[in-house]
Amino acid sequence: MAHTDFRTDLQNASEIEITVTGRTSGRTHSCPIWFALDGNKLYLIPVKGSDTGWYKNMRKTPTIRLATRGGKTLTASARLIIDEAQLDKILEKFRDKYGRNVKSYYPKYDVAVEVPLE
């Protein structure tokens, strides 16, 4: 039920907030992220590129908390996408949603994160 409520809250959103635990400090921090839905998977990319703290922390601590502006939250394990062919398909979804300039923000293949919504 929680996943259904979270997915419903995503319908009119353009950004959601991610909270991660710092890899060295252990403190949590939050920032906005872009997302794209594909079936039972939610894909995330950092609004400001892969140098942001949350993305770096994903490599060590894959548990994340997501929040919509409507107040729904989801805590899940995420997986970094490293396969170039898969990443090309995912980034195309972001380009369709956010515009063609998404490609210029993400020239390297180290940006997408997958979160299962099951």
Side-chain angles (χ1 to χ4, degrees):
M1 184 69 175
H3 290 165
T4 301
D5 291 343
F6 186 79
R7 184 192 306 259
T8 301
D9 235 22
L10 292 175
Q11 298 306 316
N12 296 318
S14 62
E15 290 181 5
I16 55 179
E17 187 171 277
I18 188 169
T19 302
V20 295
T21 302
R23 57 189 169 168
T24 55
S25 70
R27 289 183 285 181
T28 60
H29 62 278
S30 300
C31 62
I33 54 170
W34 288 337
F35 69 92
L37 281 168
D38 185 24
N40 288 328
K41 294 184 180 158
L42 177 67
Y43 294 101
L44 312 172
I45 57 175
V47 172
K48 296 182 181 177
S50 60
D51 289 333
T52 58
W54 81 266
Y55 186 81
K56 290 177 180 178
N57 289 337
M58 285 293 307
R59 295 179 187 277
K60 184 173 182 182
T61 309
T63 300
I64 58 173
R65 182 179 166 274
L66 302 171
T68 65
R69 293 190 190 271
K72 302 296 182 198
T73 61
L74 174 69
T75 301
S77 289
R79 179 178 75 87
L80 298 173
I81 305 298
I82 56 173
D83 178 70
E84 288 186 25
Q86 184 182 14
L87 188 58
D88 278 336
K89 291 177 186 176
I90 293 166
L91 288 180
E92 191 60 36
K93 292 179 187 311
F94 283 96
R95 289 181 199 116
D96 291 344
K97 183 173 182 176
Y98 296 102
R100 303 311 279 171
N101 62 352
V102 168
K103 186 173 186 175
S104 65
Y105 294 153
Y106 300 100
K108 297 186 287 182
Y109 288 102
D110 66 347
V111 296
V113 173
E114 177 183 272
V115 178
L117 290 178
E118 304 180 310

